Amino acid sequence: MEDRSFEEFYEKEYSAVLAFARVLTGDLTRAEDVAHDAFVAALEAWDTLENAAGWIRRVTANKSHSAWRRRYAEQRALNRVPKPMLIGVDLPSDTEYFWDEVRRLPRRQAQVIALFYLEDRSVSDIAALLACSESTARVHLMRGRRTLAKRLDLEP
């Protein structure tokens, strides 16, 4: 059970949770929805939470994955629309290209990469947040980096 109030937790964690959701969903609006839903769930479970920071990141990761799946389905539908109708769509920046590639990774690899690079978390922190062993988090990080290096034509 958390010693601090929910309001203090929200103020401290919101920006990081929103950034994590943004990286995983690829869309600020969806990320805001995911973060909001995660904090609502945290408020409802507040009295029973032992590690609220880890819990909310797991919920955010799961909700982001669901949002990403919905976005993927929407993108497939858009791909069936004739191309002239898509004129005026902004191309992603270099940073967005990187995070787009991260989102293409298997779910756990994307989550570990996001926490490692976005929040500058240690492997042990990531393992605790995602409720897995340190060796599992390390393997996901290594595999994700290797795949990104290949896709982005970077030296290993």
Side-chain angles (χ1 to χ4, degrees), residues 2 11 16 30 39 43 59 73 100 106-107 115 119 131 139 150:
E2 289 287 320
E11 287 177 18
R30 282 186 177 90
F39 277 101
L43 179 59
V59 170
D100 283 343
R107 181 173 58 140
L115 287 169
E119 292 193 19
V139 166
K150 286 179 187 173

Side-chain angles (χ1 to χ4, degrees), residues 31-69:
E32 288 170 338
D33 290 343
V34 164
H36 173 77
D37 291 347
F39 277 101
V40 167
L43 179 59
E44 290 171 354
W46 187 249
D47 292 335
T48 62
L49 297 181
E50 295 290 327
N51 175 6
W55 186 90
I56 199 152
R57 280 170 179 77
R58 282 191 297 278
V59 170
T60 300
N62 291 336
K63 289 185 177 295
S64 295
H65 182 67
S66 295
W68 185 88
R69 285 180 27 221

Side-chain angles (χ1 to χ4, degrees), residues 109-127:
Q109 288 178 24
Q111 293 167 355
V112 169
I113 293 284
L115 287 169
F116 188 82
Y117 289 107
L118 182 67
E119 292 193 19
D120 198 27
R121 298 263 182 186
S122 68
V123 172
S124 61
D125 284 348
I126 293 168

Side-chain angles (χ1 to χ4, degrees), residues 3 28 30-31 34 37 39-41 52 78 82 89 92 95 99 105 109 123 127-128 130 133 142 144-145 152:
D3 290 337
L28 181 58
R30 282 186 177 90
V34 164
D37 291 347
F39 277 101
V40 167
L78 279 176
V89 175
T95 303
W99 292 116
L105 293 171
Q109 288 178 24
V123 172
L130 297 179
S133 69
M142 178 195 65
R145 283 177 171 164
L152 301 172

